[in-house]
Amino acid sequence: MSRGPLAAAVLATAALVACDPAPGAAPTGTSPPSSSATPESTTATAEPTPTPAAAPVWKVGANPLPRRADGFGQVLPTPPELVNRSLPSADRLPPPADGRFAATTATVPATVLARSTWRPGCPVTAADLRYLTLSFWGFDGRPHTGEMIVNARVAADVTTVFGKLFAARFPIEEMRVTAQSELDSPPTGDGNNTTAFVCRPVVTQSQWSAHAYGLAIDVNPFCNPYTKGNLVLPELASSYVDRRNHRPGMIFPNDPTVRAFTAIGWTWGGTWTSPRDLQHFSATGR
C-alpha cells in the first residue's frame, strides 16, 4: 500500500503562393490569355493545424496529501486520470528478450538490501531473504521484468505464482523493492507497486506484519485497496472500492490470481471482513 501533468500543443503553419504571369506575357508552352482575362496575383495561407496534445500522464508520488488525525492521508475522490488506471510500466530491469516468462532467485545483493526497508532489528535476517526477478505483463500490453524480496522458504512458490499470472496475462503496473524513504515520506495515496518484503508493522497495529518476514505480497494495491471503516489505502483509490466496476488489474474471488496463491496455500485478504485487504496475499493467514 503506497504515491500533473504538462502537455503542449505546437502550431504549424504553411504558406502556398501562386502568381500569374505579367500582363501580355505568355509562359512557355502555354497559350496567351484571352483579351477578356484579367491577370492577377493571389496568395493563399493554410489555416493553422494544431498538433493534438499528448494525453496527460499522472506522476505517481508528486502530490502529498494532507494528513488525517490518525496519520494517514486524507481519503479523496479518485482523480479522473486514475479512475480507469492504465499507466505504463517503467523498465528498471531489461524486459524478457523473447517475451516469455523468466525468473531468477538469488541471495539479496548488498546494493539491493541497502535500498530496501531491511535494517538490524527486523524480524528476519538478510540471509533469510531471497531476491527474485520475475516477468510480468504491464497495463501497456508489454512484458516487463520486476523485482521482489521474499522469504527464502517461499521463493520457489512465489515464482510459480507469477509464472501463472504471466501465462494468464494478468496486468501488473509495477514490481520493485520498496525503499525506506517511501515509509518515511508524506502519503500521496496513488501508489500501485506490487511488492512483498517491507519491514513494517501491521496497519494500525504494533506487531510485525507478514510483509516484515517476506511472507506476504500486495498485488496492484491501487486497483485492490485496503479498507477499514472510513480508511482507504491507497487514499486516492476510492473508485476501486466498488467491485461491481470490473477493470484490468483487479482481483476477484476464484480468478487466476486467487487460484494461483491458493494453490500454494496462501490466503487472500479479500475474504476478510474488517479490514478488507483486497491486494494482500499471505502465507501466515494475516
Side-chain angles (χ1 to χ4, degrees):
M1 298 169 294
S2 38
R3 329 274 169 266
L6 294 177
V10 179
L11 299 180
T13 60
L16 175 63
V17 179
C19 297
D20 287 341
T28 304
T30 64
S31 301
S34 65
S35 58
S36 60
T38 303
E40 60 183 30
S41 296
T42 60
T43 301
T45 303
E47 286 295 321
T49 303
T51 300
V57 177
W58 183 269
K59 186 175 181 181
V60 177
N63 301 300
L65 297 172
R67 288 188 186 268
R68 304 176 359 154
D70 58 10
F72 294 105
Q74 185 176 348
V75 176
L76 299 174
T78 304
E81 299 94 328
L82 300 180
V83 168
N84 294 290
R85 186 161 179 154
S86 185
L87 300 182
S89 300
D91 282 317
R92 295 179 173 85
L93 296 171
D98 57 2
R100 298 181 180 181
F101 180 77
T104 65
T105 303
T107 56
V108 185
T111 53
V112 175
L113 198 67
R115 60 181 171 85
S116 76
T117 59
W118 187 89
R119 62 193 183 278
C122 290
V124 288
T125 68
D128 294 325
L129 301 171
R130 292 293 180 270
Y131 177 66
L132 308 182
T133 64
L134 303 160
S135 303
F136 68 92
W137 288 100
F139 285 81
D140 52 15
R142 296 171 50 229
H144 302 273
T145 301
E147 59 172 6
M148 186 178 293
I149 297 175
V150 300
N151 194 290
R153 67 183 176 88
V154 300
D157 284 344
V158 168
T159 298
T160 297
V161 166
F162 282 92
K164 291 180 178 180
L165 298 191
F166 189 87
R169 297 183 74 99
F170 177 80
I172 293 172
E173 181 179 321
E174 185 176 30
M175 188 191 298
R176 58 173 176 75
V177 172
T178 300
Q180 183 63 41
S181 60
E182 296 177 73
L183 304 186
D184 300 334
S185 299
T188 61
D190 57 356
N192 202 23
N193 181 33
T194 295
T195 194
F197 174 77
V198 184
C199 191
R200 62 165 178 80
V202 176
V203 175
T204 73
Q205 299 182 36
S206 58
Q207 74 264 32
W208 290 114
S209 164
H211 287 284
Y213 297 88
L215 295 174
I217 296 174
D218 288 342
V219 179
N220 286 342
F222 195 91
C223 304
N224 303 288
Y226 168 106
T227 57
K228 184 177 183 180
N230 65 0
L231 178 62
V232 178
L233 297 175
E235 294 94 336
L236 297 183
S238 298
S239 73
Y240 280 91
V241 174
D242 183 355
R243 309 306 279 179
R244 294 171 297 181
N245 182 6
H246 289 213
R247 284 154 286 179
M250 296 172 70
I251 300 168
F252 297 97
N254 201 38
D255 74 358
T257 309
V258 173
R259 292 199 304 270
F261 277 102
T262 300
I264 64 169
W266 287 34
T267 59
W268 178 40
T271 62
W272 305 348
T273 303
S274 182
R276 191 178 188 206
D277 203 351
L278 293 161
Q279 64 201 255
H280 185 80
F281 295 90
S282 77
T284 66
R286 56 182 177 84

